[in-house]
Amino acid sequence: RGHDGAAGGCCGVEESMKITLICVGKIKEDFYRKAVCEYEKRLSRYCNLEIIEVADEKTPEGAGAAMEEQIKEREADRILKHVKEDAYVISLEIAGWQPDSLKFAEEMNRLAVQGKSHIQFIIGGSLGLHQKVSRAADRALGFSNMTFPHQLMRVILLEQIYRSYRIIKGEPYHK
């Protein structure tokens, strides 16, 4: 299911930045869905937002490492079908770059200034991302060494993207 926000000016560039979240699995809890909808609405002023959900694989109870690797690879194949050649791809990974909100905003602004008009963020499933996805990414982004539910990560990522646009525009928010 895709959601497109209305086009808006981004980062001072004429063309609107397109932001795509490629996510494994659907959001089941209503409170997460409401939070995602709220940030979709807020972000519509700044960019074109699209959320692509790919099917997750069920992990059998007691699955071994080989089975988990197969599951991540099947999810990776679904993810990679949506990765665009011209997009700047950022995978969410625990071991990724962990900027503060100001540094993240600077990076978003730098990408826009460099003419990157499409950024794709990838959020894996409950087992994480297969190395094929990590290799396809231009950058790995981490939020914490802690583990978060992938559904909550969608909300956290959208909040940080929104916060970065507010920072870039010099609008009050980053408290």
Side-chain angles (χ1 to χ4, degrees):
R1 135 189 159 230
H3 302 287
D4 287 20
C10 272
C11 309
V13 245
E14 291 301 311
E15 286 180 45
S16 181
M17 173 76 76
K18 180 170 185 179
I19 304 279
T20 303
L21 272 58
I22 303 171
C23 311
V24 174
K26 293 191 178 308
I27 291 191
K28 294 164 185 66
E29 289 85 359
D30 192 48
F31 58 93
Y32 286 141
R33 271 199 302 275
K34 286 178 179 170
V36 167
C37 286
E38 179 61 29
Y39 283 109
E40 284 178 315
K41 192 168 49 182
R42 290 180 186 194
L43 280 163
S44 68
R45 296 182 47 213
Y46 302 103
C47 60
N48 262 325
L49 177 66
E50 177 185 26
I51 297 176
I52 297 169
E53 294 176 334
V54 300
D56 55 348
E57 291 284 322
K58 300 295 170 241
T59 305
E61 200 64 38
M67 170 69 80
E68 287 187 357
E69 192 65 17
Q70 288 175 349
I71 289 169
K72 289 195 300 189
E73 188 166 13
R74 283 196 289 270
E75 290 175 346
D77 292 339
R78 292 185 191 123
I79 289 167
L80 293 172
K81 285 180 187 164
H82 296 282
V83 171
K84 301 294 184 208
E85 188 88 13
D86 63 339
Y88 187 85
V89 179
I90 301 173
S91 59
L92 270 64
E93 304 188 41
I94 289 174
W97 174 58
Q98 293 186 14
D100 62 22
S101 295
L102 289 172
K103 289 275 186 242
F104 182 66
E106 287 170 12
E107 178 72 357
M108 294 288 286
N109 195 42
R110 184 185 67 76
L111 291 170
V113 168
Q114 289 179 346
K116 305 285 184 203
S117 60
H118 189 188
I119 301 174
Q120 291 186 305
F121 290 91
I122 299 173
I123 302 175
S126 58
L127 297 176
L129 291 170
H130 190 270
Q131 60 187 359
K132 291 198 294 194
V133 176
S134 299
R135 285 195 301 263
D138 296 296
R139 170 161 245 170
L141 176 66
F143 280 81
S144 171
N145 288 324
M146 294 180 185
T147 303
F148 295 102
H150 57 283
Q151 297 180 4
L152 178 58
M153 274 316 305
R154 194 181 309 188
V155 176
I156 293 170
L157 175 61
L158 288 169
E159 190 279 335
Q160 284 299 303
I161 294 169
Y162 174 69
R163 182 180 295 264
S164 74
Y165 281 122
R166 300 288 294 190
I167 291 169
I168 290 163
K169 296 284 192 182
E171 297 170 348
Y173 181 69
H174 47 287
K175 292 183 168 84

